[in-house]
Amino acid sequence: MTVYGVWVINKAGGLIFQRNYGAGIAQQSSNEYLVMAGTLHGVHAITSRIAPVPKSSGVQTIESESFKMTIHMTLTGIKFVLISSVDMANAESVLQRIYEAYADAVMKNPFYTPEMPINATGFDAKINAIVAAVGP
């Protein structure tokens, strides 16, 4: 079980936090990350509309041969994305801990403006601890 990356996407589809962990994911430019986040936001919105189940929250997992992307959307529209190895079974609980770290270290910060990029060292430290606890 390996975490390759963590993204936080605001409700407008903008990437407000992105970190890579380990060497399992190809390095991209900042513009490429922004485009990928916007595309994922659009796909998530489309899948929530075409789902056969009323009030579906959209796609929750995208899985390929080499990685898995798990998405947790909050009630406020913020999306937390975990990019991990395919064998990671507890991705949802890891995302829940990341969401709790966001609520604690970012949203309680009086100097943080919602929907803007996250530059909180406390959040980085908490995410690093969560990723380290998951293990390689």
Side-chain angles (χ1 to χ4, degrees):
M1 299 186 315
T2 304
V3 173
Y4 298 135
V6 175
W7 298 355
V8 180
I9 303 172
N10 67 16
K11 60 184 168 188
L15 187 65
I16 59 175
F17 180 84
Q18 179 275 322
R19 293 290 183 275
N20 287 342
Y21 302 95
I25 191 168
Q27 196 66 272
Q28 307 291 326
S29 71
S30 57
N31 281 344
E32 290 170 322
Y33 283 117
L34 291 171
V35 169
M36 287 188 291
T39 303
L40 180 63
H41 175 75
V43 168
H44 193 270
I46 290 168
T47 58
S48 68
R49 303 282 176 148
I50 64 172
V53 178
K55 302 206 181 204
S56 172
S57 65
V59 67
Q60 295 176 348
T61 304
I62 298 172
E63 193 170 322
S64 77
E65 293 176 357
S66 58
F67 72 93
K68 178 167 73 170
M69 187 178 277
T70 308
I71 304 161
H72 172 75
M73 187 165 113
T74 67
L75 294 175
T76 59
I78 303 290
K79 290 176 197 67
F80 292 86
V81 181
L82 183 72
I83 303 164
S84 64
S85 59
V86 178
D87 63 345
M88 183 168 227
N90 63 340
E92 291 83 10
S93 66
V94 172
L95 278 173
Q96 183 63 37
R97 288 186 290 181
I98 291 171
Y99 175 49
E100 290 168 3
Y102 168 81
D104 190 43
V106 177
M107 295 310 294
K108 291 180 182 177
N109 181 349
F111 302 107
Y112 176 70
T113 304
E115 305 295 317
M116 297 305 291
I118 299 169
N119 294 317
T121 55
F123 183 62
D124 274 334
K126 288 181 183 223
I127 297 297
N128 290 338
I130 291 168
V131 169
V134 171

